[in-house]
Amino acid sequence: LFLAGGVDLQKMSSMFVPNGFMLPQLLATYSRVVSTFRPRMIETVGKTGWPEELNRCMSCRMEQVKELKCLLCSQVFGNFWLHRNVCCVCEHNVRASGRCPFNISCGKRPFCPHSMKCFVCDTWSCEDCRLVHGDGEYVLALAQSIKPTVIFLDFDRTLCTTKTGANPMVGNHSMDPDLISLINIFGGKVHVVTRNSYRDDITAFLNSKGINDLPVHTVKKHQSKADIILDSKYLSLEGVGLFVDDSIQEHADPRLKESPQISRVLFCRAQ
């Protein structure tokens, strides 16, 4: 039996759970145990180091347990104690410092301070940060819920299948059907904000798909999309904005993170 879970682990959301299927409740019980005793374990190991019994047990079972080295502390463990080649103690300590423990390039920018999770490596969503993962269907549902006064869509790999900077009039490209529905429903409230320099070709491509009069804003190499999104010409003081982009870097501008008016979606195209 396959349990297809959503990203909301606290609510144990899923696509399908038959009556009497207790796996979510069982996992929640174990999760509470881990949450209760993990801090004590981390504190103990930090003061006294890993117990000798663990090392002796490891040496006895090395033929059955794959030997792995923590990328951060270089200590050798069985794979039970590591996740993505980082031991649980190092993972905890790095998260506590407000950084992603798995990818140094992530740094602090795509990190949730509420749950100590990386939006990218942990595929995390946080309503308090106003940054969530979602595909076109999710974006459409969110927009219908929050009723934004203005919507900003990225073009490459979000609204359209073009790769970064490609001319949409060259080759065979398609658009996300749910985002097309979004444009049709919200009409003049939707804007495209992109780094793709083929602005006229993007407009021609949209026209060829029956989408006319959709404003297309092109930002320069070192310019932030926040310059467009937070412009008072588009977002009034009482307005509600929705920004959809597949790149975490575009969401990282502190002005977007701190603005209570902007909800952000880290877009992932439905497969």
Side-chain angles (χ1 to χ4, degrees):
L1 181 61
F2 173 66
L3 175 66
V7 296
D8 191 347
L9 298 181
Q10 292 181 340
K11 295 181 181 178
M12 293 299 173
S13 61
S14 64
M15 294 168 59
F16 170 70
V17 177
N19 291 332
F21 191 69
M22 301 299 293
L23 181 58
Q25 291 83 352
L26 180 63
L27 293 178
T29 300
Y30 288 127
S31 180
R32 287 193 293 271
V33 173
V34 171
S35 299
T36 300
F37 293 100
R38 179 187 289 268
R40 188 186 307 175
M41 184 199 79
I42 298 296
E43 181 181 3
T44 301
V45 172
K47 290 180 179 179
T48 63
W50 288 91
E52 289 296 327
E53 291 79 2
L54 176 63
N55 294 329
R56 287 198 297 270
C57 181
M58 278 288 299
S59 62
C60 293
R61 297 188 302 146
M62 198 57 71
E63 292 183 1
Q64 291 79 30
V65 179
K66 185 177 180 181
E67 183 179 4
L68 297 171
K69 181 182 290 187
C70 174
L71 294 177
L72 300 183
C73 68
S74 299
Q75 186 160 338
V76 176
F77 299 90
N79 53 14
F80 177 81
W81 298 101
L82 295 100
H83 179 55
R84 298 186 185 178
N85 292 326
V86 176
C87 76
C88 56
V89 173
C90 286
E91 178 183 345
H92 171 86
N93 292 336
V94 175
R95 288 188 189 277
S97 69
R99 295 181 292 116
C100 173
F102 306 122
N103 189 341
I104 191 173
S105 65
C106 289
K108 294 185 177 183
R109 288 192 294 178
F111 199 78
C112 171
H114 307 100
S115 301
M116 297 300 174
K117 300 279 190 179
C118 176
F119 286 107
V120 178
C121 297
D122 295 315
T123 320
W124 191 249
S125 296
C126 178
E127 293 182 0
D128 291 331
C129 291
R130 299 179 305 283
L131 178 57
V132 296
H133 284 256
D135 59 8
E137 182 180 6
Y138 179 88
V139 172
L140 179 57
L142 177 62
Q144 291 173 325
S145 174
I146 68 174
K147 297 177 174 55
T149 57
V150 62
I151 300 171
F152 295 95
L153 301 178
D154 177 42
F155 187 75
D156 295 329
R157 299 194 299 181
T158 302
L159 178 57
C160 184
T161 55
T162 48
K163 294 184 178 179
T164 304
N167 187 335
M169 298 299 289
V170 177
N172 184 23
H173 302 290
S174 62
M175 298 175 64
D176 186 280
D178 291 301
L179 295 185
I180 293 176
S181 298
L182 179 80
I183 293 171
N184 291 331
I185 293 172
F186 286 88
K189 297 180 180 179
V190 182
H191 298 244
V192 169
V193 56
T194 178
R195 296 192 180 279
N196 191 317
S197 60
Y198 292 100
R199 180 166 56 185
D200 292 341
D201 292 292
I202 291 174
T203 299
F205 176 81
L206 293 171
N207 291 342
S208 72
K209 301 296 184 181
I211 299 176
N212 303 306
D213 302 321
L214 186 65
V216 177
H217 309 273
T218 301
V219 296
K220 299 178 181 179
K221 184 176 181 180
H222 298 293
Q223 182 184 8
S224 171
K225 290 185 178 181
D227 293 345
I228 303 296
I229 296 168
L230 298 176
D231 192 317
S232 58
K233 289 186 296 184
Y234 313 116
L235 182 67
S236 66
L237 291 175
E238 298 79 22
V240 176
L242 176 60
F243 174 42
V244 184
D245 200 300
D246 69 294
S247 171
I248 188 63
Q249 302 304 326
E250 302 293 0
H251 292 283
D253 190 301
R255 292 175 293 171
L256 295 178
K257 296 167 64 176
E258 295 168 5
S259 173
Q261 295 178 268
I262 301 296
S263 293
R264 299 168 291 153
V265 177
L266 184 57
F267 187 79
C268 48
R269 184 173 290 271
Q271 300 298 319

